[in-house]
Amino acid sequence: MMTTRRNFLYLLSASTVVTWLGSANPPVWAAPAIATTATTGEFKLPPLTYDYNALEPHIDAKTMKFHHDNHHATYVKNLNAAIAKYPQLKPKTVEELLTNLGTLPKDIQTTVRNNGGGHFNHTMFWQIMGPKAGGAPTGAIATAIKSQFGTFDTFKTQFNDAGTKLFGSGWVWLINDKSKLKIVTTSNQDSPIFQGLYPIMGNDVWEHAYYLTYQNRRPEYLSAWWNVINWTEVNRRFERSLTA
Ligand code: MN3
């Protein structure tokens, strides 16, 4: 018993000092490119690329429809209304706005923080989920998770615990911080991108994301969410976090 536990602890501590790509070819951290999206001065609600009911039974159709068509749409509308007052901001991408919040006109800073954050976070959220998804991670992110956390189950447990402990509304994230994978949480619609940290994946733990099916059982929602993760898209975001 003790030996098993000691070995486990050794593996865990070893994993904290190992970089995921190995010492022969250490990853080079670079800030994400922030001007990748051409804008027309108006942000648009990105369409869902799958049906509202495609994530059932894990996320119900009514939740998806309301979450996308109402919540996300409102963030986009409010963001556009704020930007409309300042034509010089119209060419900016949402990433540019969010990484420079402190330089924006004072009267729209909070609106852009909440609604620009909401737009950026939800755009990612729809993309990293999908039908016929879930299961164990694949590709480079699988290797990275194993190196950083020991096992996928350990990572999932730590991610779900962080999401469970977050008080009130917010997000739980996997980020790439100077070539280390880290789990962090943010309140409201705040996002790691505010600090220039490109989020690889994140789960929305606002009640609107799960209440119709799970009521107050947030841990159940957090566990079920892994069944709809699109690892192909997560890998794309992981690659971008390394090289963009
Ligand atoms: Mn939401």
Side-chain angles (χ1 to χ4, degrees):
M1 190 70 172
M2 276 309 288
T3 309
T4 306
R5 179 162 171 77
R6 217 173 279 137
N7 285 345
F8 177 65
L9 289 173
Y10 170 75
L11 284 171
L12 267 187
S13 62
S15 75
T16 62
V17 295
V18 174
T19 54
W20 59 69
L21 295 181
S23 55
N25 183 23
V28 178
W29 165 256
I34 54 173
T36 53
T37 320
T39 68
T40 59
E42 192 168 315
F43 294 101
K44 287 193 169 27
L45 178 67
L48 270 189
T49 57
Y50 41 83
D51 294 335
Y52 297 121
N53 66 3
L55 307 185
E56 289 188 340
H58 311 293
I59 303 180
D60 66 273
K62 199 170 172 188
T63 293
M64 287 298 291
K65 183 165 169 45
F66 218 79
H67 200 174
H68 178 269
D69 295 5
N70 293 72
H71 288 279
H72 190 170
T74 301
Y75 298 131
V76 173
K77 188 176 159 219
N78 292 344
L79 176 62
N80 283 330
I83 298 305
K85 296 189 214 166
Y86 296 96
Q88 72 273 22
L89 296 176
K90 287 198 167 184
K92 303 234 179 268
T93 63
V94 69
E95 291 91 341
E96 286 172 320
L97 295 172
L98 296 177
T99 50
N100 296 285
L101 280 171
T103 68
L104 299 179
K106 291 261 182 295
D107 67 315
I108 62 164
Q109 279 185 13
T110 301
T111 305
V112 173
R113 176 179 182 164
N114 291 336
N115 294 278
H119 176 44
F120 178 80
N121 294 342
H122 287 84
T123 299
M124 170 220 67
F125 190 58
W126 314 128
Q127 289 174 350
I128 63 161
M129 301 191 294
K132 300 189 182 77
T138 54
I141 195 64
T143 311
I145 286 170
K146 205 172 168 207
S147 295
Q148 197 69 47
F149 298 96
T151 67
F152 176 49
D153 280 346
T154 303
F155 163 63
K156 263 200 309 195
T157 301
Q158 289 183 18
F159 192 98
N160 292 349
D161 283 351
T164 299
K165 285 176 186 153
L166 174 61
F167 185 75
S169 298
W171 292 75
V172 53
W173 304 96
L174 178 67
I175 60 162
N176 182 343
D177 184 8
K178 299 180 183 66
S179 299
K180 260 181 95 90
L181 294 187
K182 287 184 184 167
I183 295 165
V184 296
T185 58
T186 57
S187 291
N188 302 318
Q189 293 300 346
D190 286 358
S191 176
I193 198 76
F194 293 6
Q195 277 78 47
L197 295 166
Y198 185 75
I200 298 167
M201 65 192 298
N203 194 358
D204 186 341
V205 296
W206 285 55
E207 284 185 346
H208 68 226
Y210 62 86
Y211 205 83
L212 294 181
T213 295
Y214 299 96
Q215 289 81 50
N216 63 337
R217 304 186 304 278
R218 189 193 283 181
E220 263 181 53
Y221 159 69
L222 281 156
S223 296
W225 183 68
W226 298 99
N227 291 304
V228 297
I229 296 302
N230 173 356
W231 290 111
T232 304
E233 178 61 17
V234 173
N235 266 295
R236 195 192 66 74
R237 296 182 65 91
F238 176 53
E239 292 297 326
R240 183 178 168 193
S241 82
L242 290 171
T243 61

